Amino acid sequence: MRTARVITILAITIIAISPTVQSDSEQIILASHCPPGFELTDDNACKCRNMYQQYESLRGSGVGGLKTGLPAIRDGFSPQQIDLGRYLFFDPVLSVDGSLACSSCHDPNYGFSDGKGRAVGMDGAIVQRGAPSLWNVAFLQSLFWDARASTLEEQMQGPLYSAEEMGNTPAKLAATLNNIPAYRRLFADAFPSAQKDIRVQDVHTAITAFESSLVSLNSRYDHYAHGYHEALNENEIEGLNIFRSFVARCAECHTPPLFTNQQVAVLGTPEPDGLPLDQGAQKTYADPKFRAGFKVPSLRNVARTAPYMHSGTFETLKETVAFYTKGRGHAVPEGEDLKLHWHIWEPDLSDRELDRLVDFLETLTDEGFMPQIPQRLPSGLKPGLVRNENK
Amino acid sequence: MKWKMLMIWLVLLAVGILAGKFLFKSKPTSTALTPVKLYEAQGGYTPGLAGADTALAGFKGEIIEVRNGDKIQDAVKKANPGDLIRVYPGSYRETVYIDKDDISFQGIIIEGEWPTLDGGKELNDGFLYSGNGIIIENFKIINYKGNGIMGQAGNNFVIRNNWVVDAGVYGIFPEFGKNGLVEHNVLSGIEDAAIYVGMCDNIDVLHNETYESVAGIEIENSRHCLVENNYTHNNTGGLLVFITPGLPIKTCFDIIVRNNFVVDNNLENFAAPGSIVSGIPQGTGILIMAADDVTLEGNIITGNNNAGITITDLTLVANVATDPESEPNPDRLVILDNFMSNNGNDPGGQLKALMATQMESKGPDIIHFGGGSGGCILDKNKYRTFGLEDYGQCQVRTSIAVKSYMLAEPVPPRDISAEEKGKLTFYGVCSGCHAYGIRMIGPPTRDLQAIYNNNPQGIVDYITNPIRRRENYPEMPPQNYLSEETRMAVAEYMLTVEK
């Protein structure tokens, strides 16, 4: 039974990748320029440049107010590594059967998420949590909803090699890519000092390089923050003031300029129907005080990434902000003793205030540096994007 | 005889009042001076207002007057850095937000009538600022739901001589700020901390009175703070210095608590359920939790029914999260000479049980719970103590050499050249559409350099108000949200790009 399955998978893979093996005639050339937002240095590294570099932050923490510097960014990859990462990111050849790419769940058309409450993995399996947006992921010090990875390289090995997500293994991924001449050539371009064969760590590096290039810091909110106060209308400014007030307290955890303080918080949000409580970061830290704790996500481009919370329990921003005013612990299942975050209280926000908060959150949208989805992939496969069976 | 004298006095008094009214009413502005700039306030005690002409001489901004019926926010919209907004007595129902630098607010108090920000229990915050160099003085702030005055990341602030009553969760709350002064404020009826210095560096908290609040003064996840000459009484807890785990800035150290009156802090705890201070036992004088290098000197700590000084690690307050990155123990505490009496008359809960194991019904003057090392105490025998067995004899006798923890000069804005500003703007904004040698959304930078050779002003004019010039390119959106200076800097930089 098991052997049969492996053979089937192998067969599918071979069929899936076979068109490329034959032709590398119309050559894909890796970019020698940096993506938007990056300066090419003399040693062929792309360094992030943005207007927040005009400012400091207290103790270099990257949290504060409007004119505050950002947290440290992961940058310095070469243009070639970033561009190779882009091809890999969109290429379903990375999954065991050629069915799923990174972009199948982190689709640029859905704010680098997927529009679903919980991500869909191998053979339509619905996984435990939602796919987070990748905008500004280079500024994050921990990854996954439960904060269990500290680098993008470490993080991506979760979905790549998880049976219910992309289902691959490091050895098989390396073998697949080494069988594709176009990838062999492109890896040699991007990693000139590496050995002849493609290594999985170079795959991880290239995808990290691409993901780190997804910068969004030029929203209308940012125009306001840098001093152009006409960028926001009256309702949006009112929303900003509610957002940072100590009644709603949004800005205490979703701290500018990244709109996350990068901590784990226990909110006590409900799970979608029928699902048991997700233990969240309790497992990461082996500490029951973190039960149902999740990483505070950045709110940049949040209007593009519905539904919300770790398992997509809220369809709209309005429902999401309304959660915070329905009472401390109102959705905690009976018998659970969660150590709810101290900022979860009863702010008693009016319906009007909730609307203004949504107005403000919508000013955080900026996709000006959207990368291009490749027209062709070295594998010959079609770029993986979100599939909506119902639509 | 007596009656005659009294009549004469009354007449004189009436004349005096009339004359005073006339004098005040005729030209009230002439009696008000501009607020003392931060760097002029260095070096110990300063009065609430400038007492010298030097303050006026150094003042170069505009003075914008706000009177009853006006909106303070309209003045903020008009103000430029360096300006002073003077607010006359009256009731102002608004949230004043300040996202500009170097704006001063000065209430003008006339014959005991204050300019009053009144939130009517509907508005969230009184003052909300993110700018640097903000001065707020002489306001009465009442009936807000969030904070009286809240700062988010502003450096070089002065919050002085304000009267804050029942203004919500915090009275005065600077957060993420460096180099600030909180002095001569009177606060009461606050449901968390009356004065809350959160995640700040180099702050002086001087000469304030806080009462009938859950916490009088709270220094949290901050460093280099001097808390001196305050009177904090009739709160649940008088004066707190601690680490809250789970915040992005993890440390709290180098705090001097000196010459404060910490008296009768026995108010029933009325904090919101789940808040950190909801776990503070009523009757707490001073609480040091997980903070390091805290010096206590010259304080008068009396009548606090739980304990005078409580020193603890993070296990005391059960409702705080754990944080692998927060060091939980209070280390190297320095207890110099303090006056303590009449504390611990009615210990509660955990402490009561603990004291019972010692056959003792009173709480101590000083107690140390849990972890922590390197502490010292000058004259332990003076006090009733518990858990201070590991404390050594202090080698220092006084901290008086430290006059202030504020900086000698204001924190300067980041020094950034026009060229660098141009570069950051070019890559942060323009590079979304323009690459050097290839076509993206807009024309290549190289082509634009040929058109605008030696003509940055031409670029500035175009990006301010773009018109469609090329058939096969989309229309460029205006970049007028960049300041004029920034537009020129980026135009000049764009002409120098080589790749």
Side-chain angles (χ1 to χ4, degrees):
Chain A
M1 184 68 191
R2 196 187 160 134
T3 325
R5 189 187 151 98
V6 169
I7 289 168
T8 315
I9 289 167
L10 275 178
I12 291 167
T13 315
I14 289 163
I15 293 161
I17 64 173
S18 54
T20 351
V21 180
Q22 290 147 10
S23 75
D24 187 20
S25 51
E26 277 185 81
Q27 283 203 340
I28 290 169
I29 308 286
L30 295 179
S32 56
H33 60 274
C34 295
F38 290 81
E39 180 189 12
L40 183 61
T41 64
D42 291 338
D43 52 354
N44 199 40
C46 296
K47 299 294 278 183
C48 185
R49 305 281 180 241
N50 61 72
M51 295 186 72
Y52 284 98
Q53 289 167 347
Q54 299 175 84
Y55 317 125
E56 309 270 6
S57 71
L58 191 72
R59 307 187 79 78
S61 57
V63 283
L66 272 58
K67 292 187 178 182
T68 294
L70 286 155
I73 187 173
R74 185 88 192 271
D75 64 358
F77 299 98
S78 72
Q80 292 78 10
Q81 288 168 350
I82 294 170
D83 204 30
L84 172 58
R86 184 172 66 100
Y87 287 106
L88 291 165
F89 183 85
F90 285 98
D91 200 334
V93 81
L94 267 63
S95 61
V96 68
D97 60 355
S99 67
L100 292 171
C102 305
S103 52
S104 301
C105 296
H106 300 282
D107 182 335
N109 302 308
Y110 291 84
F112 284 95
S113 177
D114 59 1
K116 302 178 196 306
R118 293 181 291 144
V120 177
M122 191 54 63
D123 301 325
I126 295 176
V127 305
Q128 192 180 15
R129 296 172 190 150
S133 169
L134 300 182
W135 282 115
N136 295 322
V137 75
F139 294 101
L140 300 184
Q141 280 134 30
S142 67
L143 301 142
F144 286 122
W145 278 106
D146 59 8
R148 69 182 184 274
S150 52
T151 63
L152 284 163
E153 288 91 332
E154 188 188 341
Q155 182 279 327
M156 74 180 69
Q157 295 179 54
L160 273 172
Y161 309 129
S162 141
E164 62 167 2
E165 295 187 52
M166 295 167 82
N168 221 331
T169 64
K172 170 147 188 339
L173 176 59
T176 304
L177 293 178
N178 276 308
N179 271 326
I180 302 172
Y183 269 126
R184 293 188 74 96
R185 181 175 53 76
L186 297 177
F187 271 88
D189 284 353
F191 298 95
S193 58
Q195 287 133 9
K196 247 177 70 190
D197 284 346
I198 296 169
R199 305 172 306 173
V200 285
Q201 58 262 48
D202 295 336
V203 177
H204 302 161
T205 303
I207 295 174
T208 297
F210 172 68
E211 290 177 324
S212 301
S213 76
L214 303 173
V215 171
S216 166
L217 296 168
N218 198 21
S219 65
R220 286 195 296 119
Y221 161 78
D222 295 297
H223 299 170
Y224 180 94
H226 296 309
Y228 181 68
H229 291 177
E230 293 79 0
L232 303 185
N233 67 32
E234 290 283 322
N235 281 347
E236 291 160 347
I237 291 174
E238 194 184 337
L240 163 63
N241 286 337
I242 298 165
F243 184 87
R244 58 183 164 169
S245 83
F246 219 79
V247 176
R249 306 187 182 181
C250 314
E252 291 303 303
C253 292
H254 297 283
T255 321
L258 199 58
F259 290 86
T260 170
N261 67 358
Q262 307 215 39
Q263 306 297 306
V264 169
V266 183
L267 307 186
T269 56
E271 298 292 348
D273 286 343
L275 284 188
L277 183 85
D278 184 336
Q279 67 168 325
Q282 176 179 8
K283 189 175 175 197
T284 308
Y285 301 108
D287 183 345
K289 278 193 167 182
F290 286 106
R291 183 166 178 76
F294 296 95
K295 199 161 59 86
V296 174
S298 169
L299 300 182
R300 287 183 171 274
N301 284 324
V302 71
R304 304 280 297 114
T305 61
Y308 301 105
M309 301 300 182
H310 62 275
S311 48
T313 195
F314 300 127
E315 290 294 330
T316 64
L317 283 173
K318 177 83 180 275
E319 275 179 67
T320 311
V321 293
F323 164 81
Y324 293 92
T325 201
K326 285 184 176 166
R328 182 178 161 86
H330 70 271
V332 175
E334 240 176 88
E336 288 284 353
D337 177 27
L338 301 184
K339 302 296 176 207
L340 294 174
H341 196 279
W342 63 92
H343 285 319
I344 297 294
W345 72 315
E346 310 207 355
D348 200 16
L349 300 172
S350 68
D351 198 56
R352 180 194 156 76
E353 286 180 302
L354 297 178
D355 285 335
R356 295 297 79 78
L357 279 174
V358 173
D359 290 342
F360 172 67
L361 292 172
E362 287 171 348
T363 72
L364 295 170
T365 302
D366 161 41
E367 297 185 313
F369 290 177
M370 180 67 87
Q372 283 199 338
I373 300 172
Q375 304 265 318
R376 293 181 304 125
L377 293 172
S379 67
L381 299 178
K382 283 211 167 94
L385 295 170
V386 165
R387 276 174 290 193
N388 279 321
E389 283 78 11
N390 299 334
K391 287 180 186 169
Chain B
M1 189 65 190
K2 261 187 178 174
W3 286 108
K4 239 182 181 173
M5 278 301 286
L6 187 65
M7 283 303 286
I8 291 166
W9 274 114
L10 279 173
V11 170
L12 281 175
L13 191 64
V15 170
I17 287 169
L18 280 172
K21 271 210 162 154
F22 177 72
L23 286 174
F24 272 109
K25 286 280 157 64
S26 59
K27 253 196 165 184
T29 47
S30 64
T31 62
L33 299 165
T34 51
V36 188
K37 281 285 170 202
L38 192 62
Y39 42 85
E40 289 163 329
Q42 287 291 307
Y45 176 82
T46 51
L49 286 172
D53 302 335
T54 50
L56 272 175
F59 179 76
K60 292 191 183 70
E62 299 264 322
I63 297 179
I64 304 172
E65 297 195 341
V66 179
R67 292 175 187 272
N68 201 13
D70 299 344
K71 285 250 174 258
I72 302 171
Q73 191 64 41
D74 289 340
V76 178
K77 284 178 183 164
K78 269 187 259 173
N80 292 307
D83 288 353
L84 166 63
I85 295 172
R86 277 209 168 121
V87 183
Y88 284 82
S91 182
Y92 301 87
R93 179 158 301 187
E94 55 182 313
T95 291
V96 180
Y97 59 94
I98 310 117
D99 294 319
K100 298 178 177 183
D101 291 338
D102 297 315
I103 308 288
S104 299
F105 295 83
Q106 183 180 51
I108 303 295
I109 306 162
I110 298 177
E111 294 180 74
E113 294 294 320
W114 288 59
T116 303
L117 268 73
D118 184 349
K121 284 291 158 196
E122 285 172 2
L123 297 180
N124 293 337
D125 305 282
F127 284 101
L128 191 55
Y129 68 84
S130 72
N132 295 320
I134 302 298
I135 298 178
I136 298 171
E137 65 179 21
N138 305 346
F139 287 89
K140 187 170 185 184
I141 303 173
I142 60 174
N143 295 329
Y144 284 87
K145 297 194 296 183
N147 297 329
I149 300 172
M150 181 179 195
Q152 285 168 350
N155 297 328
N156 309 324
F157 58 86
V158 179
I159 299 170
R160 176 198 286 140
N161 202 47
N162 299 290
W163 181 8
V164 184
V165 184
D166 191 11
V169 185
Y170 299 112
I172 293 172
F173 176 20
E175 190 179 35
F176 301 120
K178 185 165 182 166
N179 195 39
L181 176 62
V182 179
E183 66 171 6
H184 294 284
N185 303 283
V186 178
L187 305 98
S188 61
I190 307 295
E191 67 183 72
D192 198 305
I195 295 174
Y196 171 23
V197 176
M199 291 186 272
C200 288
D201 280 4
N202 301 97
I203 310 295
D204 284 359
V205 178
L206 313 174
H207 318 291
N208 303 282
E209 182 185 8
T210 60
Y211 61 98
E212 290 168 12
S213 301
V214 173
I217 298 172
E218 178 177 324
I219 308 294
E220 179 202 65
N221 296 37
S222 295
R223 293 137 301 275
H224 317 302
C225 297
L226 173 63
V227 183
E228 184 158 29
N229 291 341
N230 301 283
Y231 177 32
T232 176
H233 60 101
N234 298 92
N235 306 289
T236 305
L239 208 158
L240 321 177
V241 180
F242 64 74
I243 290 179
T244 291
L247 292 176
I249 296 177
K250 309 284 183 189
T251 57
C252 188
F253 58 85
D254 191 18
I255 314 290
I256 296 176
V257 176
R258 191 166 67 195
N259 297 337
N260 302 284
F261 290 88
V262 183
V263 178
D264 295 338
N265 290 290
N266 301 317
L267 191 68
E268 192 178 337
N269 194 322
F270 61 101
S275 64
I276 305 279
V277 295
S278 67
I280 306 292
Q282 100 187 61
T284 297
I286 292 178
L287 174 69
I288 314 289
M289 182 167 77
D292 296 336
D293 301 293
V294 179
T295 300
L296 303 175
E297 179 185 4
N299 301 291
I300 292 174
I301 305 165
T302 62
N304 304 290
N305 283 344
N306 198 56
I309 300 171
T310 306
I311 304 146
T312 175
D313 61 21
L314 285 177
T315 55
L316 175 72
V317 183
N319 59 341
V320 300
T322 46
D323 184 342
E325 294 175 76
S326 286
E327 201 282 314
N329 297 315
D331 297 316
R332 298 176 304 281
L333 195 79
V334 179
I335 304 174
L336 301 175
D337 203 15
N338 293 279
F339 180 93
M340 306 193 70
S341 87
N342 199 30
N343 296 301
N345 289 330
D346 184 16
Q350 210 178 348
L351 182 61
K352 188 176 186 175
L354 192 66
M355 296 319 287
T357 64
Q358 310 299 304
M359 304 295 164
E360 181 68 69
S361 64
K362 274 187 84 172
D365 285 324
I366 310 175
I367 180 162
H368 187 131
F369 277 115
S373 63
C376 75
I377 182 163
L378 206 53
D379 188 358
K380 191 160 77 173
N381 293 334
K382 272 172 61 171
Y383 317 108
R384 295 177 301 108
T385 66
F386 183 87
L388 268 63
E389 293 74 20
D390 296 339
Y391 278 57
Q393 172 72 25
C394 292
Q395 299 304 302
V396 291
R397 300 195 71 82
T398 178
S399 65
I400 210 73
V402 177
K403 302 284 185 219
S404 168
Y405 267 138
M406 290 170 62
L407 303 173
E409 295 288 334
V411 183
R414 185 159 195 179
D415 191 17
I416 166 164
S417 65
E419 192 201 342
E420 199 178 343
K421 190 167 198 159
K423 179 195 271 197
L424 298 180
T425 311
F426 178 77
Y427 288 105
V429 177
C430 313
S431 73
C433 296
H434 302 280
Y436 185 66
I438 57 157
R439 173 182 172 161
M440 289 175 68
I441 294 164
T445 312
R446 195 171 49 197
D447 297 5
L448 299 171
Q449 288 175 343
I451 298 170
Y452 291 103
N453 186 25
N454 286 326
N455 182 18
Q457 188 60 49
I459 296 179
V460 171
D461 294 344
Y462 185 81
I463 67 176
T464 305
N465 195 5
I467 40 164
R468 193 163 174 187
R469 288 215 176 119
R470 295 165 191 245
E471 281 277 306
N472 50 345
Y473 284 92
E475 186 172 304
M476 179 177 168
Q479 305 299 311
N480 55 348
Y481 58 87
L482 301 171
S483 71
E484 230 174 291
E485 178 204 355
T486 307
R487 274 175 272 163
M488 181 50 82
V490 74
E492 284 178 341
Y493 181 78
M494 194 168 186
L495 293 174
T496 67
V497 173
E498 286 175 355
K499 56 188 174 190

